[in-house]
Amino acid sequence: MNTALEAPDLDAAFLALSDPTRRAILERLSQGEATVMQLAAPFKMSQPAVSRHLRVLEDARLITRRAEGTKRPCRLSVAGFETMEQWLGMLHAALSKNYDRLDHLLADMKSGKEERS
Amino acid sequence: MSKMTLETEGDRFVVVRRPFAASPEEVYRAHTEPKLVQQWMLGPDGWTMPVCISEARPGGKIRYEWANPISGGGFYLTGEYVELEPYRRIVHIERMHLPDPTPDNHVETQFVPDSDGTLMTMRMTLPDAETRSQMLATGMEHGMEASYVRLERTILA
């Protein structure tokens, strides 16, 4: 299975995660759904300010919002947390490269031994 | 062609397996002797390891510094050896500095002889989501994105 990297999604995710308030919002949502009012309370921040943060998180697909009367509660969205696949991909590529080099080094070590003996 | 596999084990570990056409002693030494480590543990092409400290004894210090002469970038890793059983097993702890230190990564590497040489199995701590994001951001800065777009890997949940 190949993973294609989509640069715009990654940019949105990094932008979203780069702000400590947004990270704290995600942490709160990891404990369950919350409304804008509930999310604003710990920050003493105005609701419009929190809403701006929520829009960034929504664009990054890190949260989704549902309609409930006049409220729109937020919850974490699984879709945005694809950093796992991307990180594993980066690790795989770096390790593969390293081990290919190690193959060559081991072959050199072996031929060195044969020359001496 | 030798094939590496990489899998997650639950939500806490990553397991890497890679066969090598060499003896467990040679593969073990390549993982612990600084002059050997410096030649292969370099990540993507273009990087060098100007500093490689590896004191292969329990409590011994690990320090690897990487530099990219063309981009001018660099970062480093520090760690400690916990247990060493030549030429079968290495347990160590490491962390990346991006430049802030990531949480400790606990790594156990085993070298088992087989008919073709050695099967290496490395089991490491899976970093949390924030650390993964930081590492991805560093990887992007240092030009690793081209390497990881085209690849295969296996994930077992």
Side-chain angles (χ1 to χ4, degrees), chain B residues 1-51:
Chain B
M1 178 94 175
S2 299
K3 218 42 172 39
M4 184 186 88
T5 65
L6 186 157
E7 307 170 337
T8 55
E9 189 183 272
D11 59 1
R12 296 193 56 218
F13 297 103
V14 175
V15 181
V16 179
R17 293 184 180 88
R18 179 50 154 87
F20 292 99
S23 69
E25 173 177 349
E26 287 163 326
V27 186
Y28 177 99
R29 286 178 51 218
H31 278 75
T32 52
E33 293 178 15
K35 288 195 157 50
L36 298 177
V37 169
Q38 245 173 343
Q39 294 181 53
W40 66 272
M41 204 182 278
L42 303 173
D45 287 333
W47 289 83
T48 62
M49 195 190 295
V51 173

Side-chain angles (χ1 to χ4, degrees), chain A residues 1-7 10-11 13-14 17 23 27 81-111 113 116, chain B residues 1-2 4 6 8 14 16 18 20-23 26-27 29-31 36 39-45 120 122 124 126-127 130 132-133 135-137 139-140 144-145 147-149 151-153 155:
Chain A
M1 180 179 153
N2 288 330
T3 299
L5 173 66
E6 291 165 28
L10 199 59
D11 286 344
F14 283 131
L17 292 169
R23 288 200 296 273
E27 233 167 287
F81 285 97
E82 279 161 10
T83 51
M84 171 72 87
E85 288 196 353
Q86 289 154 8
W87 179 81
L88 286 168
M90 189 174 73
L91 181 68
H92 189 288
L95 290 176
S96 291
K97 198 83 199 174
N98 286 349
Y99 294 139
D100 288 348
R101 275 190 212 98
L102 179 52
D103 282 338
H104 290 302
L105 175 63
L106 289 165
D108 287 348
M109 281 161 68
K110 206 180 287 287
S111 62
K113 272 167 64 174
R116 281 200 302 276
Chain B
M1 178 94 175
S2 299
M4 184 186 88
L6 186 157
T8 55
V14 175
V16 179
R18 179 50 154 87
F20 292 99
S23 69
E26 287 163 326
V27 186
R29 286 178 51 218
H31 278 75
L36 298 177
Q39 294 181 53
W40 66 272
M41 204 182 278
L42 303 173
D45 287 333
M120 183 214 77
M122 179 171 68
M124 52 189 264
L126 181 64
E130 177 163 346
R132 292 198 297 271
S133 297
M135 287 174 156
L136 278 168
M140 298 292 281
M144 294 181 195
E145 71 274 17
S147 310
Y148 79 89
V149 168
L151 57 82
E152 299 168 350
R153 81 282 183 277
I155 297 178

Side-chain angles (χ1 to χ4, degrees), chain A residues 46-95:
Chain A
S46 69
Q47 289 194 32
V50 173
S51 292
R52 276 197 292 278
H53 283 302
L54 294 178
R55 263 201 300 283
V56 173
L57 289 170
E58 215 173 345
D59 284 347
R61 300 186 303 146
L62 292 172
I63 65 170
T64 56
R65 311 184 68 173
R66 63 183 180 87
E68 186 183 272
T70 53
K71 299 190 188 154
R72 295 190 59 217
C74 311
R75 57 165 53 154
L76 291 183
S77 160
V78 173
F81 285 97
E82 279 161 10
T83 51
M84 171 72 87
E85 288 196 353
Q86 289 154 8
W87 179 81
L88 286 168
M90 189 174 73
L91 181 68
H92 189 288
L95 290 176

